[in-house]
Amino acid sequence: CYSKVTDNAPDFVDAFIASANANFSLGNTEKSLELYQKALTLTPDDPQIHFILGTVYSQLGDFVKSIDFYENALEKQPDHILAAQNLAAIYFSMDQDEEALIILQPFADYSDNFPDLCYRLACYHYELENYPKALEYFRKAYKIDSSIKDALYKMSICYFLTNDLNQAEINFRKLLKLFPPAQEIYFY
């Protein structure tokens, strides 16, 4: 379907992207990459195409290419929060927590609207053992989206690690009450 459009309108970027998306979802990775690259050739300054390619390469496990495309997306659109989150996640997975935090920190002001961003910022601070800052973001994440039970759990751990044992116990009890499967948690 899309191949007829791309053959008849070789400058119609949206057709290349739609065709690439369809091919990728069908597992035709090489064809999808070829089509995304064609779209990128037609509109090299489009941050969304760089973002999409970053995502595809990330899913393929090619983090070097993925990082390049996410960085290009952010260079072309500095407020591209999804590119920043995905880029930070790659660095985090590579145990480069400080780099991940540097990438996300400029977006901290937006965190009240993005529970995933709050949660990631909290996790990065947690890994860097900055527990007060981690608590701040875990609280925000949980306040925005109370289904993020791991935020409640890690809040409890942060309270424990900062010697606020009373608040740690309150949070653990809340966790056990709200999420019964969590009753497998053992207190030592």
Side-chain angles (χ1 to χ4, degrees):
C1 170
Y2 293 112
S3 61
K4 289 183 181 183
V5 176
T6 56
D7 289 345
N8 293 329
D11 294 333
F12 188 41
V13 174
D14 291 340
F16 283 101
I17 292 172
S19 182
N21 289 342
N23 275 282
F24 190 75
S25 68
L26 293 172
N28 302 327
T29 307
E30 292 304 317
K31 182 66 176 172
S32 69
L33 285 172
E34 175 188 322
L35 292 164
Y36 286 129
Q37 289 292 349
K38 177 65 176 168
L40 184 63
T41 301
L42 294 170
T43 57
D45 292 327
D46 184 338
Q48 192 60 23
I49 297 173
H50 287 272
F51 170 75
I52 291 169
L53 280 162
T55 302
V56 169
Y57 281 114
S58 178
Q59 290 176 358
L60 295 174
D62 189 339
F63 297 123
V64 172
K65 285 184 181 177
S66 182
I67 287 169
D68 286 341
F69 280 108
Y70 285 140
E71 286 177 346
N72 286 336
L74 284 167
E75 181 181 303
K76 293 167 187 344
Q77 184 183 340
D79 66 344
H80 199 305
I81 195 165
L82 294 176
Q85 283 186 278
N86 290 359
L87 180 59
I90 290 171
Y91 281 121
F92 187 63
S93 73
M94 297 166 58
D95 292 326
Q96 295 181 23
D97 302 338
E98 289 182 21
E99 186 66 27
L101 195 55
I102 290 168
I103 291 164
L104 283 185
Q105 203 57 53
F107 296 92
D109 292 341
Y110 303 110
S111 65
D112 289 343
N113 300 318
F114 296 95
D116 290 344
L117 175 59
C118 290
Y119 183 75
R120 286 187 185 194
L121 284 165
C123 288
Y124 301 146
H125 283 290
Y126 183 87
E127 289 298 318
L128 295 170
E129 299 180 6
N130 183 352
Y131 302 120
K133 200 68 169 171
L135 264 170
E136 175 187 333
Y137 286 110
F138 281 133
R139 277 192 219 109
K140 279 186 181 183
Y142 188 73
K143 182 178 180 182
I144 298 167
D145 183 356
S146 62
S147 70
I148 307 175
K149 65 181 174 184
D150 197 50
L152 183 59
Y153 173 73
K154 286 189 176 168
M155 264 193 288
S156 304
I157 298 296
C158 287
Y159 282 124
F160 178 79
L161 293 171
T162 57
N163 290 319
D164 188 344
L165 302 181
N166 185 47
Q167 195 61 48
E169 181 181 354
I170 290 169
N171 274 31
F172 275 125
R173 290 188 185 284
K174 183 176 183 178
L175 181 69
L176 290 170
K177 184 177 179 183
L178 292 174
F179 305 103
Q183 292 176 353
E184 296 174 12
I185 296 174
Y186 298 98
F187 295 96
Y188 294 96

